Amino acid sequence: MVTAARPLPLPPARAARLRHLGPNWYASVMGTAIVGTAGAALPGPAHGARGVFAAVWALSLLLLTALLTARALHWGHHRDQARAHLLDPAVAPFYGCLAMALLAVGTGALTAGRELIGTRTAVALDAVLFTAGTAVGLGAAVAVPYLMAVRHRVDADQASPVWLLPLVAPMVSASAGPLLVPHLPPGQPRATLLLACLALFGLSLLAVLLTLPLVFARLITTGPLPLALTPALFLVLGPLGQSATAVGLIADAAPGVVAAPYDRGLAALAVLYGVPVMGFALLWLALATAHVVRAGRRGMGFTLTWWAFTFPVGTCVTGAATLARHTGLAVYDALAAGLYGVLVAAWLAAARGTVRGLLSGALLPAPRPAPAAPPSGTGRTRSGAVR
């Protein structure tokens, strides 16, 4: 007689603490992994810190293992809450973070962790995580917009950068795949994976271009995001920096894999696409920073959204480092190093707040619903100006 699988035994008190453990926690894995990956991408003197980058990557692997276990227990003991997350338009997009966490740790195995675990193990681990992360990312890129259309009820004034999360996941796959290309047999296998990465780049880019105007229009017409959600503006940097990274890495892997002149065309695309996109990324970084400074002056406290300061900035580091290789310009080396400093400071702030929140128990209780509109004092006047 076949019986349904039972969840692993867990003391009631611990099971209760996991009830509100959402997929947004995977952002801490992404933010930690990118510190090692982006550090390994830096030129010159940064190579002396490879041991540090490897240690940070190892920490991200431990965090991923712990969260995968905790989320499995969550689904086993709190299936009703897990399903409620899928039907919540504020939570469902974070399922893209699961895919990106898998991909970020996998990429880190080859870039930052290879010297720690060996090339053979790193390739095997990356292959598994890349396959799983890409499958989950493609599923989220379809399922979450579908649920938003047929089950969720959202208005235009609720548009949020969080909506980008499931759409960016395939772009992370597009930048992770080229690192595996040299480890495949020559010929069809290498060319298939490389062009699949280019397809992932295109589908993610076009989906983001459909969604990003909604986010910008919401800011202009409705006003600033609620204070706790303001750090999410940094999520827009994710598809920008990640796409510049992806097209550059695809171009790096193209010689000998795709026929001429397509390999040279991809090298040209890496510059012609990457330079203007990184320019827009810097514009958005300034705009998002201004919003965060404003929110900080109005009492913005720590929430898990602070992890939005990490992975998106890290993708801009790798994007700038990629442009430095393709253009030979020292200014991109300097930009990558400067942004990496911002990334490390952001990671320290997010990690410190998370540890304090876990120790105090403030992060695991049920989250408070975000206000539907800016609170008094941040509303609009009759002329439309923000007070």
Side-chain angles (χ1 to χ4, degrees), residues 46 194 288:
L194 190 65

Side-chain angles (χ1 to χ4, degrees), residues 220 222-224 294 378-387:
I220 299 300
T222 306
R294 175 186 178 278
T378 60
R380 288 189 177 272
T381 65
R382 292 183 180 179
S383 66
V386 178
R387 293 194 295 265

Side-chain angles (χ1 to χ4, degrees), residues 49-294:
R50 284 194 174 275
V52 176
F53 303 147
V56 175
W57 170 79
L59 175 60
S60 73
L61 179 61
L62 291 175
L63 290 175
L64 177 63
T65 304
L67 270 175
L68 287 174
T69 303
R71 285 286 295 166
L73 292 170
H74 178 269
W75 271 93
H77 290 271
H78 304 292
R79 196 174 299 272
D80 61 324
Q81 184 66 27
R83 289 172 177 167
H85 284 163
L86 284 171
L87 299 179
D88 186 344
V91 179
F94 284 99
Y95 273 89
C97 290
L98 167 58
M100 290 186 282
L102 294 169
L103 292 163
V105 174
T107 298
L110 273 181
T111 56
R114 180 166 51 185
E115 295 181 3
L116 185 65
I117 62 176
T119 300
R120 189 171 183 177
T121 302
V123 171
L125 179 59
D126 188 23
V128 171
L129 294 179
F130 172 78
T131 302
T134 300
V136 173
L138 288 172
V142 174
V144 174
Y146 175 80
L147 288 173
M148 293 180 71
V150 303
R151 296 295 298 272
H152 301 165
R153 294 293 179 264
V154 294
D155 298 320
D157 61 358
Q158 294 176 294
S160 164
V162 172
W163 291 5
L164 296 171
L165 288 172
L167 307 177
V168 180
M171 187 67 78
V172 181
S173 293
S175 63
L179 298 177
L180 286 169
V181 168
H183 300 283
L184 292 177
Q188 289 280 333
R190 291 186 181 182
T192 299
L193 177 57
L194 190 65
L195 292 184
C197 291
L198 189 60
L200 290 167
F201 165 84
L203 76 86
S204 179
L205 178 63
L206 294 175
V208 167
L209 291 178
L210 289 174
T211 307
L212 187 54
L214 300 176
V215 176
F216 188 69
R218 182 253 181 264
L219 283 178
I220 299 300
T221 60
T222 306
L225 297 176
L227 297 184
L229 195 57
T230 301
L233 287 172
F234 274 69
L235 294 176
V236 175
L237 296 174
L240 302 176
Q242 197 72 68
S243 62
T245 302
V247 72
L249 292 177
I250 290 171
D252 289 340
V257 176
V258 297
Y262 300 112
D263 54 349
R264 297 191 298 274
L266 287 171
L269 179 63
V271 175
L272 296 178
Y273 174 86
V275 170
V277 166
M278 284 301 297
F280 179 66
L282 294 177
L283 170 65
W284 191 272
L285 176 62
L287 176 64
T289 300
H291 276 266
V292 168
V293 170
R294 175 186 178 278

Side-chain angles (χ1 to χ4, degrees), residues 267-268 270-272 274-275 319-333:
V271 175
L272 296 178
V275 170
T322 300
L323 282 175
R325 292 198 309 274
H326 282 271
T327 64
L329 295 178
V331 65
Y332 284 113
D333 287 333

